[in-house]
Amino acid sequence: MERTPVWLLPAALAVLQLAAWPGLAYATGEHVTATSAATAVALTVTVAAALLWRRTAPIATTGVVVAAMTVADLGLPPDSLTVITVADLVMLYGIAVRRPQRTALATAAALVVWQAALVAGDDELGGDFPAALAVLVVVYTGVAALGRARHRWYADRADAATRLAEAEERRSRAADTERHRLARELHDVTAHHLTSIVVIASAAQRVGATRPELVAEARDFAARTGRETLTALQRLVALLQEPGVPAPGGGLTELADGFRRLGQRVTVEGTHPMGPAVAEAAYGIAREALTNTLRYAPGASVTVGLTGTPDGVRLTVADDGPAGATPDGSAARLGSGRGIAGMRERAAALGGTLEAGPRPGGGWQVDALLPADAAPVPGGVRRPGPDSVIDVAVLLLALGAPAAGLLVALEGDLPAGAASLAALALIGHALPLAWRRSRPWTVLAAVLVTGWVWPLLLAARLLTITHGWIAVTGAGAEVLAVHAVARYGRRPGLTWLAMPAVLGCVVSAVSLMLVLDPPEDTAAPAPATFLIMAIAGGIPLSFPVFGAWLAGFLTRRRRERVRAREDHAVAAATAWALAEAGAERARVAAGLREAVLRDTARVPEAADRGDLDAVVGAARTALDGMRGLLNDLRDAPAGGDQARAPQPTLAALPALVDRWRAGGRTVGLEITGTGRRLSTDLDVSAYRVVELLLAGDTGPVRVRVDLTGDPLRLAVIPMPEDAGGEVAAGLRARLAAVGGSLAADGDGNTEIRIPAPQDGPVPPQRAGEDEEVATSPRV
């Protein structure tokens, strides 16, 4: 949190103080007693040394500073320790940053009382005491507010770090979480059905000689259940091809769109603001419920409702399908109920509840009540925040110099009526600063326009040029308005226009005042007056104006960079988590196609032929493949142990590209021939080659993969620079293992060619099977 050494500020204050007094006093020949000089040095060193503990023991350090400054006020010449006296403000700011708000306010009040006592003792409660007390209140309150604003900045950074840690944690668990969720899905969808086919068909074989009617029933059951299982598997594979869970808060509409593309009629009704955790849980519950309706009530109309309740947020997913309304409870046989248990676990994890069951009029309904963790608390009295206090302090400081000038003018020859007009003009000039955060450009325009009131008063003979200097004291409003534009204005690249606007308006207004009411013996032509004011007034004014703009612009740019860096880190971690979960889904989809789908398709075909032996054999083979896939999913160690992690194939290439894009790199991907099946070693090697070439550089790149012929063709354009030869060595090793080579394509780009003999004929496919699942993943 702290970037500067703790000793730097105390050392700077001590050096400046000793150089100013007694150093400068000795240099100019001012009489300084040895006692005063020694006391000043001792107090300066004491305060500087105490400031070394300002971060670890701020309250005790403040006490030391107050005691030292009291001794200085009582025993040293007035205004001798002007530099080191800012130590109490330094301590107040630090306490406001590092301690609770109550401690900061109490410290500010104590310091105001202490300073007021010193002022009262010096002035003997003179007539200027109320004004001095007001200034003390404004200054100390403003410093405390600045410290609280900084405290909030640090708290925001801590929250951002927490969000990043949570995103990184989700990323580390993404593949494992998705793996176990998919295991539940696969078990519910197919394992029970395939086991039932094996059991019933085997029983029919044993008693077929004496009970031939059971053989026919077993064939019918195998044909019907096999088709249902195949359809469920095809839908599950299609779901696995859908994009992963979006970031929390992104939603139910996108989820419904995905299920509509699968043929489900889904309607989303209602919206309600939710925190990230609740939004994520609502999305997961809705996705699970919609998956169940797609599985058990295909083609049914489904309504997803989201409403706010006094207790939180209510999510309902209801369908009008017949599955949930069958009086014999046949719907229950289609799954083990783990999906409902998973939804209940999601709701319970947030302190919510979930109920699921058949609807009275037919169909099925899931009803979840989740807490509203982001709902604002209505009512109550809001205490002003640090920004509001700072704005008030800025406004009062902008009025301070003009008010002092007006008091001086009242002691002279300024009439009471003219003073009232001048006071109104000064207040109207500074008042727009109260909106400097929300409408900086409007505030700047208002300040510039109200600056022309003074020439109007001179033109109306309500004021004279002898009082024009009062208007100059209000120029601080212009400086603060320029800072506000640079700090908060839209289009940061154009905020510099505020500087010439202010300089032009101020110089023009003052020049016009001199032209309307020229001082005696100094009358000059209007062009000369403008030129003189541009040089004598514009140049000095340009320094504070430019300084205010630069301070605001640099502060804005730094804060925007910090926030952008934090947001990018969280977004990148989230994108990696989604990509890793998507890669796991793609891997499982490929496993289903290879190990289960084809054998499951043989079950109803064998049943239609009346071949129970082939039915049992195909069902056992599909069940073995399913069990192997389930064991691989369930037994994978948490934390992503690389020894047991699945080897990525070209199916995971879009996820690899997405991870690079999440880090800000421009990566294009073109895949041709995605329906082709490759041997495992070739598939893995091709992926590793692309992964190696992408890791060899970080610039924009385009990846091209052609799977249509023999050889397989891969290209990463442009090829990475390889000064150390590491990429070339790794590439040679990979290509040597599969007999690959490097060659130039027709455009002169280097491409990798890997021998890939065409596989045998692909088994006949059911309509809509691999047409869905073999489509290239989204890029």
Side-chain angles (χ1 to χ4, degrees):
M1 188 171 73
E2 301 291 351
R3 295 183 178 181
T4 57
V6 70
W7 56 266
L8 184 59
L9 179 60
L13 289 177
V15 170
L16 290 175
Q17 175 56 64
L18 296 177
W21 203 93
L24 185 60
Y26 280 124
T28 57
E30 181 181 341
H31 176 68
V32 178
T33 65
T35 302
S36 297
T39 303
V41 171
L43 292 175
T44 299
V45 172
T46 300
V47 172
L51 289 177
L52 295 175
W53 284 271
R54 67 186 184 276
R55 296 175 184 172
T56 56
I59 303 300
T61 302
T62 303
V64 174
V65 170
V66 168
M69 292 299 98
T70 303
V71 172
D73 185 78
L74 297 175
L76 292 177
D79 301 327
S80 56
L81 298 187
T82 54
V83 176
I84 204 70
T85 51
V86 301
D88 61 330
L89 296 177
V90 172
M91 292 310 308
L92 176 59
Y93 177 83
I95 290 173
V97 171
R98 299 175 186 86
R99 292 294 185 268
Q101 180 172 322
R102 182 176 301 176
T103 304
L105 294 178
T107 303
L111 290 175
V112 168
V113 172
W114 166 66
Q115 285 283 11
L118 294 181
V119 171
D122 292 340
D123 292 347
E124 296 181 356
L125 296 177
D128 294 335
F129 180 76
L133 180 60
V135 171
L136 288 175
V137 171
V138 171
V139 171
Y140 281 88
T141 304
V143 171
L146 288 172
R148 294 309 297 173
R150 193 64 176 176
H151 172 86
R152 187 177 61 188
W153 168 259
Y154 287 142
D156 290 344
R157 305 292 67 74
D159 290 342
T162 301
R163 292 196 305 272
L164 178 58
E166 292 173 349
E168 291 289 352
E169 178 67 15
R170 287 195 300 270
R171 171 188 168 184
S172 66
R173 299 196 317 263
D176 189 64
T177 301
E178 188 71 2
R179 204 159 28 237
H180 290 290
R181 189 190 68 80
L182 291 174
R184 294 192 300 268
E185 289 277 347
L186 294 177
H187 185 277
D188 288 348
V189 170
T190 58
H192 174 72
H193 299 72
L194 292 173
T195 302
S196 299
I197 292 173
V198 172
V199 171
I200 292 176
S202 298
Q205 285 179 314
R206 288 195 299 271
V207 300
T210 58
R211 299 283 302 276
E213 71 278 6
L214 294 181
V215 175
E217 292 180 6
R219 286 199 300 266
D220 293 341
F221 177 82
R224 182 178 67 256
T225 307
R227 290 190 178 93
E228 291 177 356
T229 305
L230 182 62
T231 300
L233 280 172
Q234 290 171 341
R235 289 196 177 113
L236 179 58
V237 170
L239 284 174
L240 293 176
Q241 298 297 103
E242 289 294 311
V245 178
L252 299 178
T253 302
E254 292 82 355
L255 179 67
D257 290 340
F259 278 88
R260 290 190 192 104
R261 289 194 294 271
L262 299 175
Q264 201 77 336
R265 294 179 292 166
V266 184
T267 302
V268 179
E269 297 180 351
T271 60
H272 192 76
M274 295 178 287
V278 175
E280 186 176 4
Y283 186 98
I285 292 171
R287 184 177 184 276
E288 184 78 23
L290 288 173
T291 302
N292 287 338
T293 63
L294 184 66
R295 185 187 308 154
Y296 303 140
S301 296
V302 187
T303 300
V304 179
L306 190 66
T307 57
T309 69
D311 298 324
V313 180
R314 184 181 184 186
L315 171 70
T316 58
V317 181
D319 66 75
D320 60 0
T326 53
D328 59 356
S330 59
R333 65 181 174 82
L334 296 175
S336 65
R338 293 185 181 179
I340 295 176
M343 289 188 286
R344 284 202 179 102
E345 290 173 2
R346 283 184 180 272
L350 298 178
T353 60
L354 183 139
E355 299 294 334
R359 301 172 63 195
W364 191 269
Q365 177 168 312
V366 174
D367 191 344
L369 183 62
L370 304 174
D373 60 356
V377 179
V381 178
R382 295 183 57 188
R383 292 184 296 180
D387 289 343
S388 301
V389 176
I390 292 172
D391 290 341
V392 172
V394 167
L395 179 59
L396 294 177
L397 289 175
L399 289 170
L406 195 58
L407 290 175
V408 172
L410 281 172
E411 295 177 356
D413 57 350
L414 183 65
S420 299
L421 291 175
L424 291 175
L426 292 171
I427 293 173
H429 189 54
L431 190 59
L433 292 173
W435 294 273
R436 64 191 184 93
R437 296 177 188 269
S438 58
R439 297 179 177 87
W441 285 104
T442 304
V443 168
L444 177 65
V447 168
L448 295 180
V449 169
T450 54
W452 289 90
V453 171
W454 292 91
L456 295 177
L457 293 175
L458 263 68
R461 303 298 180 183
L462 298 174
L463 288 177
T464 63
I465 195 61
T466 56
H467 302 114
W469 61 270
I470 302 176
V472 178
T473 61
E478 280 84 355
V479 175
L480 292 171
V482 169
H483 178 273
V485 168
R487 178 71 178 82
Y488 308 108
R490 295 181 179 178
R491 298 186 179 182
L494 297 180
T495 57
W496 63 270
L497 294 174
M499 292 186 289
V502 164
L503 293 174
C505 283
V506 171
V507 169
S508 299
V510 175
S511 299
L512 182 58
M513 291 169 61
L514 294 174
V515 170
L516 291 173
D517 189 5
E520 296 180 2
D521 301 329
T522 59
T529 301
F530 277 89
L531 180 60
I532 293 171
M533 280 305 306
I535 297 174
I539 293 177
L541 181 62
S542 64
F543 291 103
V545 168
F546 176 74
W549 176 85
L550 185 63
F553 183 79
L554 292 179
T555 301
R556 175 194 194 131
R557 187 173 66 172
R558 175 180 175 273
R559 296 200 168 201
E560 288 179 347
R561 284 181 175 178
V562 169
R563 290 194 177 101
R565 184 168 63 248
E566 293 168 348
D567 293 343
H568 177 75
V570 173
T574 303
W576 276 72
L578 296 178
E580 289 174 4
E584 193 64 27
R585 292 159 66 87
R587 187 183 72 84
V588 173
L592 283 173
R593 290 196 300 267
E594 294 291 336
V596 182
L597 268 176
R598 285 179 292 179
D599 292 314
T600 303
R602 291 167 47 205
V603 171
E605 294 172 0
D608 291 339
R609 296 195 307 267
D611 189 350
L612 277 186
D613 291 336
V615 167
V616 173
R620 286 186 183 278
T621 303
L623 190 57
D624 288 342
M626 173 64 67
R627 285 171 177 166
L629 190 58
L630 286 171
N631 290 336
D632 178 56
L633 291 174
R634 289 170 176 164
D635 297 340
D641 186 355
Q642 294 300 319
R644 296 294 304 275
Q647 289 289 315
T649 62
L650 288 174
L653 197 56
L656 174 66
V657 170
D658 286 340
R659 290 198 295 271
W660 279 106
R661 290 172 178 166
R665 186 181 184 187
T666 301
V667 182
L669 178 61
E670 175 186 348
I671 303 179
T672 307
T674 54
R676 181 181 177 186
R677 295 189 178 96
L678 301 171
S679 62
T680 301
D681 59 340
L682 180 61
D683 212 355
V684 172
S685 295
Y687 175 89
R688 293 300 188 190
V689 166
V690 177
E691 181 184 47
L692 176 67
L693 294 177
L694 285 177
D697 202 349
T698 57
V701 72
R702 179 165 57 93
V703 179
R704 190 177 63 207
V705 180
D706 186 356
L707 309 176
T708 55
D710 181 15
L712 176 76
R713 300 173 184 267
L714 309 172
V716 175
I717 306 169
M719 290 286 281
E721 297 182 2
D722 187 24
E726 294 87 354
V727 175
L731 187 59
R732 283 194 300 270
R734 279 286 174 190
L735 294 182
V738 292
S741 61
L742 294 174
D745 63 6
D747 297 328
N749 299 312
T750 301
E751 68 178 13
I752 295 92
R753 298 179 180 179
I754 302 176
Q758 293 287 340
D759 297 336
V762 177
Q765 301 170 357
R766 292 175 62 88
E769 178 181 336
D770 277 1
E771 287 83 350
E772 277 188 325
V773 300
T775 304
S776 173
R778 255 184 224 181
V779 178

